[in-house]
Amino acid sequence: MFLGTHTPRLDEKGRLFLPAKFRDRLADGLVVTKGQERCLFVYPADGLERLATQMQQGPTSSKAVRDYLRVFLAGAHDETPDRQGRLTIPPPLRQYAGLTRDCTVIGAGNRVEVWDSAAWARYLEASEEAFAEQSEEVVPGLF
């Protein structure tokens, strides 16, 4: 499981040091793709394969399902971190997420998310209050 918040910098070649605690799980290959709120999702290769299989169980008669799958999978890039644990983020994905230099990398359970640090700060500020005041079950049976 991926957990925690880290703040690496993107270098001039579009490379980002993966947090050391994430490297072993991602060393054999990963997939980076577009996520919601203009961040990037990073999955271990086998994790994305399982997710894509589940997603494809959705009704292809639904335009929303087709649209989501197209954007999610068409934007995906297979990558392998280098020996120093750096991930190269392709230019179209850097542009999508607004990544320039300062990044925030968070563990989000089954995936890693890469955010522009300013965008992450705005998101967190807007979301933490709602999180703190949440009184209803978000995931049934969780609490």
Side-chain angles (χ1 to χ4, degrees):
M1 181 177 294
F2 298 106
L3 304 171
T5 302
H6 311 271
T7 53
R9 287 199 164 149
L10 198 65
D11 71 13
E12 62 281 344
K13 295 181 181 179
R15 296 176 301 191
L16 182 76
F17 277 102
L18 290 168
K21 64 191 272 182
F22 298 166
R23 290 179 192 166
D24 283 346
R25 180 71 176 100
L26 299 172
D28 291 334
L30 57 87
V31 178
V32 59
T33 192
K34 295 175 182 177
Q36 277 69 50
E37 291 86 27
R38 294 279 178 173
C39 73
L40 301 180
F41 288 172
V42 179
Y43 291 94
D46 61 341
L48 182 71
E49 191 172 320
R50 282 192 301 275
L51 179 62
T53 299
Q54 290 174 339
M55 293 168 103
Q56 291 172 343
Q57 301 304 313
T60 55
S61 59
S62 165
K63 182 175 180 343
V65 170
R66 291 190 312 270
D67 290 347
Y68 187 87
L69 280 170
R70 286 177 184 138
V71 172
F72 186 80
L73 296 174
H77 290 265
D78 296 314
E79 300 290 333
T80 301
D82 68 14
R83 292 178 199 207
Q84 295 166 324
R86 292 178 298 194
L87 163 64
T88 300
I89 300 176
L93 292 178
R94 290 196 310 261
Q95 182 179 4
Y96 170 82
L99 302 179
T100 54
R101 179 123 174 99
D102 294 324
C103 297
T104 299
V105 175
I106 66 166
N110 68 336
R111 68 177 180 269
V112 172
E113 293 183 359
V114 180
W115 290 76
D116 167 75
S117 288
W120 172 250
R122 287 189 303 274
Y123 172 82
L124 200 55
E125 182 178 343
S127 301
E128 276 185 325
E129 189 64 31
F131 171 81
E133 295 187 10
Q134 185 65 41
S135 62
E136 297 178 20
E137 255 183 332
V138 175
V139 179
L142 186 61
F143 293 109

